[in-house]
Amino acid sequence: MTTSTQSYVQSNWSLDDLFTAQDSPEMQATLDQIEAEVAAFETRRESLSPEISAEDFLEIIKALESITRQASHVIAFAGLKFSENTQDQGA
């Protein structure tokens, strides 16, 4: 009776679908875009009232969704990068 064993070489996962690196131009562009969208979003505070039109309210919701979507990519990258090596203080 022979027993065969297979070995598995563990490798790091690729985060390239999110960002190529934490200091990549794509990451910086996303952070800049979030900052600009948040600044624009904050200006809409005065328009919030019980009389706001459905169209205006929908635009506010869409702006919030855009901010949240972009921020979730940054947060996911940071969390996965840290999980990749919890001893890496640069992560």
Side-chain angles (χ1 to χ4, degrees), residues 5-71:
T5 59
Q6 291 181 326
S7 62
Y8 174 76
V9 178
Q10 187 174 359
S11 62
N12 293 344
W13 52 54
S14 173
L15 300 177
D16 290 349
D17 288 340
L18 295 170
F19 299 101
T20 55
Q22 62 193 30
D23 58 353
S24 69
E26 297 87 2
M27 171 75 85
Q28 188 58 52
T30 299
L31 293 172
D32 292 343
Q33 183 68 30
I34 291 169
E35 190 172 326
E37 288 186 25
V38 167
F41 185 80
E42 288 174 340
T43 66
R44 296 176 173 239
R45 180 177 299 207
E46 294 175 7
S47 67
L48 293 175
S49 71
E51 293 81 28
I52 191 171
S53 71
E55 294 82 19
D56 288 344
F57 188 69
L58 181 59
E59 288 303 313
I60 291 171
I61 296 300
K62 287 181 179 180
L64 180 59
E65 287 176 340
S66 176
I67 293 166
T68 302
R69 183 171 39 274
Q70 292 177 82

